[in-house]
Amino acid sequence: MTTTAPRTTDESGTTARKTPVDDRAAGSPGGRAAPVALFAGLGIALILICLGSAALGQYGIGFGDVAASILRRLTGPLGLGHPVDDPFAESALWQIRLPRVTMSLIVGAVLATAGALMQGVFGNPLAEPGVVGVSAGAALGAAVVIVTGLDVLGQFTVPTAAFLAGLTAVLLVYAFSRANGRTEVVTLVLTGVAINAVAGAGLAFCMFFGSQTARDQIVFWQLGSLNGSRWTYVFSIAPFALIGLVGACLLARRLDLLALGDRAARHLGVDVERLRVTSIVLIAVMAAAAVAFSGIIGFVGLVVPHLVRMVVGPGHRVLIPASMLGGAVLLAAADVVARTAIAYADLPIGMLTAAVGGPFFFWLLRNTRARAGGWI
């Protein structure tokens, strides 16, 4: 007995065969209702967490005052809203808290989107941006600047060094894994492991030869933190984030085709090698920019895309924008906990994401083993 693919009728009355690619691109476990519910829930959560993060802290500000102050700045000459009555609170809101909230949204969205791209390119839900060496490379670049005491660009010296070193690490991974004009996924992963090891050795040398103060700075940078975020940092990372996020959305359909396999994707008109190169470049730009200004924040790129995939399915046209929102919500919420969990202390946010992401990663491996009959 043979089966045929279902047919659909367009507006002109002609019938067209619906392919599995269409189902993968648009489908989700709950049909159209699941993506709508997910986006609505994430949007509401994003607004509430942003208001809560801006209001909570050692110097309390009312939720209504925060909302009114933001509304006043956004509406401009319309005169809606009002500033916070206390000038000190108004200054703290706009000069300290809102830049940090905005940075958490950008970094979270970027890391989650980079993770979704990585998993699409590698065809593996366990992939994350650190695989290609961007985090280890950025850490080494920052450590070298901290130990040597370079101050060429002032407050931007460490972020710039981390950004350039992260990009360099990814380019080295790609260059070393490329052979005969092609890049194999397995070779790319193994090369990334080697680059991570070399960068880790360099980082160990920096910590060994550095002063105690330099060691403390390197350790704190490795743990990840959004403390000290300012509007200048936000405006510096924003162009790289925008390029990466828009580029990821534009690649969504081709990533769906790539999920069918390299050969099938080529038959459907996808330049597989160019798609991989473009994706890796976007991942490098986004992840390097995020790590440069926030330090190493792990597991966001792993956990968020996988959770979103469980809700809306593997179609990247929904998965990528949903991962953006999910990453922003997750990191903004983690930053609230980092600032408020212990009085008069600012916990490293990378420590919190690792504490949650580590057990989840173990559960993910166990779940994969149960379904596939072995580790991937």
Side-chain angles (χ1 to χ4, degrees):
M1 180 178 179
T2 60
T3 59
T4 59
R7 297 177 179 271
T8 57
T9 304
D10 59 19
E11 293 180 356
S12 62
T14 60
T15 59
R17 190 179 300 275
K18 187 178 181 182
T19 67
V21 176
D22 299 323
D23 293 330
R24 290 185 65 86
S28 65
R32 292 182 179 273
V36 172
L38 179 63
F39 281 114
L42 289 175
I44 294 172
L46 187 68
I47 295 173
L48 294 178
I49 290 174
C50 287
L51 291 176
S53 181
L56 297 175
Q58 297 179 16
Y59 195 92
I61 305 175
F63 287 87
D65 288 335
V66 171
S69 182
I70 294 175
L71 182 63
R72 174 177 172 271
R73 293 290 184 102
L74 293 178
T75 56
L78 295 179
L80 301 178
H82 59 80
V84 182
D85 294 335
D86 186 345
F88 178 80
E90 175 78 0
S91 178
L93 174 66
W94 285 97
Q95 301 303 320
I96 299 176
R97 293 190 186 174
L98 286 179
R100 180 164 179 165
V101 172
T102 306
M103 182 65 80
S104 70
L105 298 179
I106 294 176
V107 172
V110 160
L111 292 177
T113 303
L117 275 182
M118 281 288 297
Q119 293 169 13
V121 170
F122 281 69
N124 190 327
L126 303 181
E128 60 100 18
V131 170
V132 290
V134 60
S135 298
L140 178 58
V144 170
V145 170
I146 292 172
V147 170
T148 58
L150 293 176
D151 193 24
V152 179
L153 301 176
Q155 62 182 349
F156 287 96
T157 304
V158 172
T160 301
F163 177 75
L164 294 177
L167 282 180
T168 301
V170 176
L171 293 178
L172 286 175
V173 169
Y174 176 73
F176 290 154
S177 62
R178 186 177 174 84
N180 300 322
R182 297 182 61 185
T183 306
E184 298 294 337
V185 171
V186 174
T187 307
L188 195 69
V189 172
L190 294 177
T191 307
V193 171
I195 294 295
N196 276 319
V198 173
L203 187 61
F205 273 109
C206 289
M207 295 187 68
F208 181 79
F209 290 107
S211 64
Q212 184 61 46
T213 302
R215 293 175 190 173
D216 292 341
Q217 289 179 326
I218 293 172
V219 170
F220 185 77
W221 194 90
Q222 284 184 284
L223 293 175
S225 177
L226 297 174
N227 188 23
S229 297
R230 297 293 182 267
W231 287 118
T232 52
Y233 292 170
V234 172
F235 296 144
S236 297
I237 192 179
F240 299 103
L242 182 62
I243 291 171
L245 296 176
V246 173
C249 291
L250 295 178
L251 296 180
R253 181 179 179 277
R254 279 173 282 178
L255 288 173
D256 287 329
L257 298 176
L258 184 62
L260 300 176
D262 288 8
R263 181 175 296 180
R266 289 191 184 97
H267 283 307
L268 292 170
V270 177
D271 188 334
V272 174
E273 186 62 21
R274 178 179 294 180
L275 175 59
R276 284 211 173 99
V277 172
T278 304
S279 299
I280 290 172
V281 170
L282 290 176
I283 291 166
V285 170
M286 287 190 291
V291 172
F293 287 96
S294 65
I296 298 177
I297 300 177
F299 289 102
V300 175
L302 169 68
V303 172
V304 173
H306 192 74
L307 288 176
V308 172
R309 190 181 291 106
M310 293 171 64
V311 177
V312 298
H316 287 84
R317 282 181 283 183
V318 175
L319 176 65
I320 288 178
S323 295
M324 291 180 196
L325 278 175
V329 169
L330 175 63
L331 203 61
D335 188 51
V336 174
V337 176
R339 291 194 298 108
T340 60
I342 299 178
Y344 305 104
D346 197 328
L347 297 176
I349 194 169
M351 181 178 68
L352 295 177
T353 57
V356 175
F360 178 82
F361 184 67
F362 179 72
W363 172 84
L364 185 58
L365 288 174
R366 296 276 297 182
N367 187 52
T368 301
R369 184 182 185 184
R371 288 187 290 105
W375 303 104
I376 24 181

